[in-house]
Protein backbone atom coordinates (compact mmCIF):
# COMPACT_ATOMS: atom_id res chain seq x y z
CA UNK A 1 0.00 0.00 0.00
CA UNK A 2 1.12 3.60 -0.51
CA UNK A 3 2.90 5.53 2.21
CA UNK A 4 0.64 6.67 5.06
CA UNK A 5 1.51 10.32 4.49
CA UNK A 6 0.37 10.04 0.89
CA UNK A 7 -2.92 8.46 1.96
CA UNK A 8 -3.52 11.13 4.59
CA UNK A 9 -2.86 13.97 2.15
CA UNK A 10 -5.14 12.30 -0.38
CA UNK A 11 -7.88 12.07 2.26
CA UNK A 12 -7.44 15.74 3.11
CA UNK A 13 -7.95 16.51 -0.56
CA UNK A 14 -10.98 14.21 -0.72
CA UNK A 15 -12.58 16.10 2.18
CA UNK A 16 -11.97 19.37 0.34
CA UNK A 17 -13.60 17.93 -2.78
CA UNK A 18 -16.61 16.69 -0.81
CA UNK A 19 -17.27 20.21 0.48
CA UNK A 20 -17.98 21.34 -3.09
CA UNK A 21 -21.25 19.44 -2.87
CA UNK A 22 -22.58 21.21 0.23
CA UNK A 23 -26.10 22.46 -0.38
CA UNK A 24 -26.35 20.54 -3.66
CA UNK A 25 -26.68 16.83 -2.92
CA UNK A 26 -29.69 16.42 -0.59
CA UNK A 27 -31.00 13.91 0.27
CA UNK A 28 -27.61 12.34 -0.42
CA UNK A 29 -24.38 12.90 1.53
CA UNK A 30 -21.43 14.93 0.30
CA UNK A 31 -18.57 12.65 -0.77
CA UNK A 32 -15.09 13.19 -2.16
CA UNK A 33 -12.72 10.67 -3.73
CA UNK A 34 -9.08 10.67 -4.82
CA UNK A 35 -7.62 7.80 -6.85
CA UNK A 36 -3.91 7.01 -6.66
CA UNK A 37 -2.12 4.79 -9.13
CA UNK A 38 0.09 1.89 -8.03
CA UNK A 39 2.99 4.31 -7.52
CA UNK A 40 0.99 6.62 -5.28
CA UNK A 41 0.42 9.39 -7.81
CA UNK A 42 -2.93 11.18 -8.00
CA UNK A 43 -4.63 10.10 -11.22
CA UNK A 44 -8.28 10.92 -10.52
CA UNK A 45 -10.45 13.18 -8.40
CA UNK A 46 -14.20 13.37 -7.95
CA UNK A 47 -17.03 14.55 -5.74
CA UNK A 48 -20.76 14.03 -5.58
CA UNK A 49 -22.12 17.18 -7.19
CA UNK A 50 -25.89 16.57 -7.14
CA UNK A 51 -28.47 13.95 -6.25
CA UNK A 52 -28.94 11.63 -9.20
CA UNK A 53 -25.56 12.57 -10.65
CA UNK A 54 -22.36 10.49 -10.66
CA UNK A 55 -21.01 9.53 -7.28
CA UNK A 56 -17.55 10.69 -6.23
CA UNK A 57 -15.92 7.31 -6.85
CA UNK A 58 -17.37 7.04 -10.35
CA UNK A 59 -16.17 10.54 -11.27
CA UNK A 60 -12.66 9.91 -9.92
CA UNK A 61 -12.36 6.49 -11.56
CA UNK A 62 -13.49 7.90 -14.90
CA UNK A 63 -10.73 10.50 -14.71
CA UNK A 64 -8.17 7.89 -13.68
CA UNK A 65 -9.04 5.39 -16.41
CA UNK A 66 -6.67 2.41 -16.67
CA UNK A 67 -4.26 4.09 -14.24
CA UNK A 68 -6.56 3.08 -11.38
CA UNK A 69 -5.77 -0.62 -11.84
CA UNK A 70 -3.66 -1.83 -8.93
CA UNK A 71 -4.02 1.54 -7.21
CA UNK A 72 -5.88 3.03 -4.26
CA UNK A 73 -9.22 4.80 -3.95
CA UNK A 74 -9.37 7.23 -1.03
CA UNK A 75 -12.97 8.15 -0.21
CA UNK A 76 -14.63 10.16 2.57
CA UNK A 77 -17.66 7.87 2.95
CA UNK A 78 -17.95 4.10 2.64
CA UNK A 79 -18.78 3.21 -0.98
CA UNK A 80 -22.42 2.26 -1.46
CA UNK A 81 -23.40 -1.27 -2.45
CA UNK A 82 -26.95 -0.61 -3.59
CA UNK A 83 -28.48 0.57 -6.86
CA UNK A 84 -30.49 3.75 -6.56
CA UNK A 85 -30.64 6.46 -9.20
CA UNK A 86 -27.06 5.41 -10.01
CA UNK A 87 -25.24 2.08 -9.82
CA UNK A 88 -23.31 0.84 -6.78
CA UNK A 89 -19.89 2.40 -6.21
CA UNK A 90 -18.56 -0.95 -5.00
CA UNK A 91 -19.19 -2.35 -8.47
CA UNK A 92 -17.34 0.55 -10.08
CA UNK A 93 -14.34 0.02 -7.78
CA UNK A 94 -14.25 -3.70 -8.52
CA UNK A 95 -14.49 -3.10 -12.26
CA UNK A 96 -11.67 -0.54 -12.08
CA UNK A 97 -9.33 -3.10 -10.53
CA UNK A 98 -8.11 -1.08 -7.55
CA UNK A 99 -6.20 -3.05 -4.93
CA UNK A 100 -6.90 -0.80 -1.95
CA UNK A 101 -9.77 1.35 -0.71
CA UNK A 102 -9.36 3.83 2.16
CA UNK A 103 -12.59 4.91 3.87
CA UNK A 104 -12.91 7.75 6.39
CA UNK A 105 -16.49 7.24 7.63
CA UNK A 106 -18.71 4.13 7.50
CA UNK A 107 -22.13 4.47 5.86
CA UNK A 108 -24.74 4.18 8.66
CA UNK A 109 -27.69 3.39 6.40
CA UNK A 110 -29.09 -0.08 5.85
CA UNK A 111 -29.65 0.51 2.15
CA UNK A 112 -26.15 1.65 1.23
CA UNK A 113 -23.98 0.36 4.10
CA UNK A 114 -21.83 -2.74 4.03
CA UNK A 115 -19.80 -1.70 1.03
CA UNK A 116 -16.48 -2.19 2.83
CA UNK A 117 -17.32 -5.82 3.64
CA UNK A 118 -18.37 -6.47 0.06
CA UNK A 119 -15.07 -5.09 -1.21
CA UNK A 120 -13.13 -7.23 1.26
CA UNK A 121 -15.09 -10.30 0.20
CA UNK A 122 -13.87 -9.61 -3.33
CA UNK A 123 -10.22 -9.40 -2.35
CA UNK A 124 -9.77 -5.64 -1.98
CA UNK A 125 -7.76 -4.36 0.99
CA UNK A 126 -9.99 -1.90 2.87
CA UNK A 127 -8.67 0.46 5.55
CA UNK A 128 -11.21 2.44 7.60
CA UNK A 129 -10.91 5.45 9.87
CA UNK A 130 -8.18 7.58 8.27
CA UNK A 131 -9.41 11.19 8.24
CA UNK A 132 -12.57 10.23 10.13
CA UNK A 133 -12.92 13.43 12.17
CA UNK A 134 -12.57 15.85 9.25
CA UNK A 135 -14.74 13.77 6.90
CA UNK A 136 -17.47 13.32 9.51
CA UNK A 137 -17.45 17.04 10.27
CA UNK A 138 -17.82 17.89 6.59
CA UNK A 139 -20.72 15.47 6.29
CA UNK A 140 -22.21 16.24 9.71
CA UNK A 141 -25.61 17.39 8.41
CA UNK A 142 -26.30 14.17 6.54
CA UNK A 143 -24.91 11.95 9.29
CA UNK A 144 -27.02 13.81 11.86
CA UNK A 145 -30.13 13.45 9.72
CA UNK A 146 -29.54 9.72 9.28
CA UNK A 147 -29.09 9.27 13.03
CA UNK A 148 -32.00 11.43 14.23
CA UNK A 149 -34.53 11.59 11.39
CA UNK A 150 -34.38 15.39 11.33
CA UNK A 151 -32.16 17.99 9.67
CA UNK A 152 -29.14 19.55 11.36
CA UNK A 153 -30.15 23.02 12.58
CA UNK A 154 -27.59 25.83 12.46
CA UNK A 155 -28.62 29.09 14.10
CA UNK A 156 -27.03 32.05 12.36
CA UNK A 157 -26.98 35.25 14.38
CA UNK A 158 -25.50 38.71 14.03
CA UNK A 159 -25.03 40.86 17.11
CA UNK A 160 -23.00 43.55 18.76
CA UNK A 161 -20.28 42.72 21.25
CA UNK A 162 -22.81 43.13 24.05
CA UNK A 163 -25.36 40.79 22.48
CA UNK A 164 -27.75 43.24 20.83
CA UNK A 165 -29.39 42.79 17.44
CA UNK A 166 -31.00 46.23 17.28
CA UNK A 167 -30.74 49.57 19.05
CA UNK A 168 -33.31 50.79 21.54
CA UNK A 169 -35.17 52.64 18.77
CA UNK A 170 -35.37 49.48 16.69
CA UNK A 171 -32.74 50.35 14.09
CA UNK A 172 -30.57 47.40 13.12
CA UNK A 173 -29.05 47.86 9.65
CA UNK A 174 -26.23 47.19 9.49
CA UNK A 175 -24.79 45.70 12.66
CA UNK A 176 -22.17 43.68 10.83
CA UNK A 177 -20.04 44.70 7.86
CA UNK A 178 -20.13 43.66 4.20
CA UNK A 179 -17.84 40.65 4.60
CA UNK A 180 -20.04 39.17 7.32
CA UNK A 181 -23.14 39.81 5.24
CA UNK A 182 -21.51 38.09 2.27
CA UNK A 183 -20.72 35.12 4.50
CA UNK A 184 -24.45 34.72 5.16
CA UNK A 185 -24.93 33.94 1.49
CA UNK A 186 -22.20 31.30 1.68
CA UNK A 187 -24.03 29.72 4.61
CA UNK A 188 -27.31 29.80 2.71
CA UNK A 189 -25.71 28.24 -0.35
CA UNK A 190 -24.38 25.37 1.78
CA UNK A 191 -27.78 24.73 3.38
CA UNK A 192 -30.81 22.84 2.09
CA UNK A 193 -33.28 25.22 3.73
CA UNK A 194 -33.33 28.69 5.31
CA UNK A 195 -35.90 29.25 8.08
CA UNK A 196 -37.44 32.42 9.51
CA UNK A 197 -40.45 33.19 11.67
CA UNK A 198 -43.46 35.35 11.04
CA UNK A 199 -42.13 38.21 13.17
CA UNK A 200 -39.00 38.48 11.03
CA UNK A 201 -41.12 38.28 7.89
CA UNK A 202 -43.37 41.11 9.02
CA UNK A 203 -40.52 43.31 10.28
CA UNK A 204 -37.96 42.86 7.51
CA UNK A 205 -39.70 41.27 4.50
CA UNK A 206 -36.55 39.18 3.89
CA UNK A 207 -35.77 37.61 0.53
CA UNK A 208 -33.65 34.70 1.87
CA UNK A 209 -32.28 33.71 -1.54
CA UNK A 210 -28.56 33.31 -2.26
CA UNK A 211 -26.86 36.19 -4.05
CA UNK A 212 -23.43 36.70 -5.61
CA UNK A 213 -22.36 33.04 -5.52
CA UNK A 214 -21.90 31.60 -8.99
CA UNK A 215 -23.69 28.32 -9.59
CA UNK A 216 -25.34 28.24 -6.17
CA UNK A 217 -28.37 25.99 -5.75
CA UNK A 218 -31.07 28.03 -4.06
CA UNK A 219 -32.15 26.60 -0.69
CA UNK A 220 -35.77 26.03 0.24
CA UNK A 221 -37.06 29.19 1.93
CA UNK A 222 -39.18 28.21 4.95
CA UNK A 223 -41.44 30.70 6.70
CA UNK A 224 -43.24 29.90 9.95
CA UNK A 225 -46.62 31.63 9.74
CA UNK A 226 -48.96 29.89 12.19
CA UNK A 227 -52.11 31.69 11.08
CA UNK A 228 -51.34 31.67 7.34
CA UNK A 229 -51.29 35.45 7.16
CA UNK A 230 -48.19 35.97 5.00
CA UNK A 231 -49.03 38.57 2.34
CA UNK A 232 -48.86 37.32 -1.23
CA UNK A 233 -46.64 40.31 -2.01
CA UNK A 234 -43.91 39.12 0.39
CA UNK A 235 -40.49 38.96 -1.29
CA UNK A 236 -40.02 35.41 -0.06
CA UNK A 237 -42.86 34.28 -2.33
CA UNK A 238 -41.16 35.33 -5.57
CA UNK A 239 -39.74 32.79 -8.02
CA UNK A 240 -36.07 33.29 -7.12
CA UNK A 241 -36.12 30.14 -4.97
CA UNK A 242 -38.66 27.59 -3.74
CA UNK A 243 -40.66 28.55 -0.64
CA UNK A 244 -42.59 26.60 1.98
CA UNK A 245 -44.99 28.27 4.42
CA UNK A 246 -45.49 26.37 7.67
CA UNK A 247 -48.86 26.88 9.35
CA UNK A 248 -50.66 25.47 12.34
CA UNK A 249 -53.04 22.60 11.75
CA UNK A 250 -56.52 24.04 11.32
CA UNK A 251 -55.30 27.40 9.99
CA UNK A 252 -57.11 28.59 6.90
CA UNK A 253 -54.42 28.39 4.23
CA UNK A 254 -56.81 28.31 1.26
CA UNK A 255 -55.63 31.77 0.13
CA UNK A 256 -52.03 30.56 0.00
CA UNK A 257 -52.81 27.28 -1.72
CA UNK A 258 -54.94 29.08 -4.29
CA UNK A 259 -51.86 31.14 -5.13
CA UNK A 260 -49.82 27.91 -5.57
CA UNK A 261 -47.86 28.50 -2.37
CA UNK A 262 -46.48 25.27 -0.89
CA UNK A 263 -47.93 24.82 2.61
CA UNK A 264 -47.00 22.45 5.45
CA UNK A 265 -49.45 22.16 8.37
CA UNK A 266 -48.03 20.97 11.70
CA UNK A 267 -49.55 20.52 15.18
CA UNK A 268 -49.62 23.52 17.50
CA UNK A 269 -50.62 24.37 21.07
CA UNK A 270 -50.60 27.50 23.22
CA UNK A 271 -46.79 27.42 23.26
CA UNK A 272 -46.62 27.54 19.48
CA UNK A 273 -45.90 25.18 16.62
CA UNK A 274 -44.50 21.72 17.19
CA UNK A 275 -40.96 22.41 15.97
CA UNK A 276 -39.96 18.75 16.05
CA UNK A 277 -42.87 17.99 13.72
CA UNK A 278 -41.79 20.86 11.49
CA UNK A 279 -38.26 19.43 11.21
CA UNK A 280 -39.66 15.94 10.59
CA UNK A 281 -41.72 17.38 7.76
CA UNK A 282 -38.65 19.01 6.27
CA UNK A 283 -36.74 15.74 6.55
CA UNK A 284 -39.51 14.04 4.57
CA UNK A 285 -38.95 16.70 1.91
CA UNK A 286 -35.28 15.66 1.66
CA UNK A 287 -33.94 18.59 3.71
CA UNK A 288 -30.83 17.56 5.64
CA UNK A 289 -29.57 20.97 6.83
CA UNK A 290 -31.47 24.04 8.02
CA UNK A 291 -30.08 27.53 8.50
CA UNK A 292 -32.17 29.23 11.18
CA UNK A 293 -32.22 32.98 10.52
CA UNK A 294 -35.19 33.83 12.69
CA UNK A 295 -35.23 36.39 15.48
CA UNK A 296 -34.66 36.11 19.21
CA UNK A 297 -37.99 34.46 20.03
CA UNK A 298 -37.86 31.81 17.31
CA UNK A 299 -34.27 31.01 18.23
CA UNK A 300 -35.31 30.74 21.88
CA UNK A 301 -38.06 28.29 20.96
CA UNK A 302 -35.58 26.09 19.11
CA UNK A 303 -33.10 26.28 21.99
CA UNK A 304 -35.79 25.46 24.55
CA UNK A 305 -36.82 22.44 22.47
CA UNK A 306 -33.16 21.31 22.23
CA UNK A 307 -33.31 21.55 18.46
CA UNK A 308 -30.29 23.79 17.80
CA UNK A 309 -27.21 21.79 16.82
CA UNK A 310 -24.77 24.46 15.75
CA UNK A 311 -24.39 28.22 16.06
CA UNK A 312 -22.64 30.60 13.69
CA UNK A 313 -22.31 33.97 15.43
CA UNK A 314 -21.24 37.06 13.51
CA UNK A 315 -20.07 39.46 16.21
CA UNK A 316 -19.46 43.15 15.48
CA UNK A 317 -17.06 45.20 17.66
CA UNK A 318 -19.91 47.53 18.57
CA UNK A 319 -21.60 48.39 21.86
CA UNK A 320 -25.23 49.50 22.24
CA UNK A 321 -25.95 48.97 25.93
CA UNK A 322 -29.68 48.68 25.25
CA UNK A 323 -31.91 47.28 22.57
CA UNK A 324 -33.09 43.89 21.37
CA UNK A 325 -31.24 40.88 22.82
CA UNK A 326 -29.92 38.20 20.49
CA UNK A 327 -31.82 35.47 22.37
CA UNK A 328 -35.16 35.67 24.18
CA UNK A 329 -36.20 33.57 27.18
CA UNK A 330 -35.28 29.98 26.37
CA UNK A 331 -36.32 28.55 29.73
CA UNK A 332 -32.81 28.67 31.19
CA UNK A 333 -33.03 29.87 34.79
CA UNK A 334 -29.64 29.02 36.30
CA UNK A 335 -26.04 28.76 35.14
CA UNK A 336 -26.06 24.99 35.45
CA UNK A 337 -28.78 24.86 32.78
CA UNK A 338 -26.78 26.97 30.34
CA UNK A 339 -26.52 25.57 26.82
CA UNK A 340 -22.87 24.64 26.43
CA UNK A 341 -21.18 24.69 23.05
CA UNK A 342 -17.78 23.72 21.71
CA UNK A 343 -16.03 26.20 19.43
CA UNK A 344 -15.03 24.62 16.13
CA UNK A 345 -13.95 27.67 14.12
CA UNK A 346 -13.12 31.35 14.53
CA UNK A 347 -12.68 33.56 11.46
CA UNK A 348 -12.14 37.29 11.05
CA UNK A 349 -14.51 38.90 8.54
CA UNK A 350 -13.31 42.47 8.14
CA UNK A 351 -13.83 44.09 11.52
CA UNK A 352 -16.25 41.35 12.58
CA UNK A 353 -15.62 37.88 14.00
CA UNK A 354 -17.45 34.70 12.97
CA UNK A 355 -17.56 32.05 15.67
CA UNK A 356 -18.86 28.57 14.84
CA UNK A 357 -19.74 26.30 17.76
CA UNK A 358 -21.55 22.99 18.15
CA UNK A 359 -23.95 22.11 20.93
CA UNK A 360 -22.62 19.60 23.44
CA UNK A 361 -24.89 16.63 23.95
CA UNK A 362 -24.50 13.47 25.97
CA UNK A 363 -24.66 10.38 23.79
Amino acid sequence: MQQQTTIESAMTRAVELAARGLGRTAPNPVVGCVVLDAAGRVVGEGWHARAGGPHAEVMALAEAGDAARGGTAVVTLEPCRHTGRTGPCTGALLDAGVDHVVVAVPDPTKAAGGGADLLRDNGIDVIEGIGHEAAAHGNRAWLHAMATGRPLVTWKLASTLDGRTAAADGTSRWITGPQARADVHRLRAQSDAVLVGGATLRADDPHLAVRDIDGAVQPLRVVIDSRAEVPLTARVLDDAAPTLVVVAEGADAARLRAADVDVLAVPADLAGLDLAALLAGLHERDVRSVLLEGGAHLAASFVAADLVDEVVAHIAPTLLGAGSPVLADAGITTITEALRLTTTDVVRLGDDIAITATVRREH
Side-chain angles (χ1 to χ4, degrees), residues 228-278:
E229 294 176 339
V230 56
L232 297 179
T233 55
R235 297 172 66 217
V236 77
L237 295 183
D238 69 10
D239 60 1
T243 300
L244 174 69
V245 177
V246 182
V247 304
E249 288 183 346
D252 184 1
R255 176 181 60 92
L256 295 175
R257 292 191 172 98
D260 292 325
V261 176
D262 194 9
V263 175
L264 171 66
V266 299
D269 56 25
L270 293 178
L273 292 183
D274 185 335
L275 298 179
L278 184 161

Side-chain angles (χ1 to χ4, degrees), residues 44-68:
E45 294 185 340
W47 64 94
H48 187 38
R50 61 178 178 84
H55 287 193
E57 297 94 323
V58 172
M59 179 185 281
L61 290 169
E63 184 176 277
D66 291 339

Side-chain angles (χ1 to χ4, degrees), residues 178-204:
Q179 288 179 251
R181 297 198 295 274
D183 191 56
V184 172
H185 290 278
R186 176 189 66 82
L187 293 170
R188 288 178 181 174
Q190 293 183 349
S191 303
D192 299 330
V194 179
L195 174 65
V196 299
T200 297
L201 181 75
R202 290 186 292 273
D204 300 334

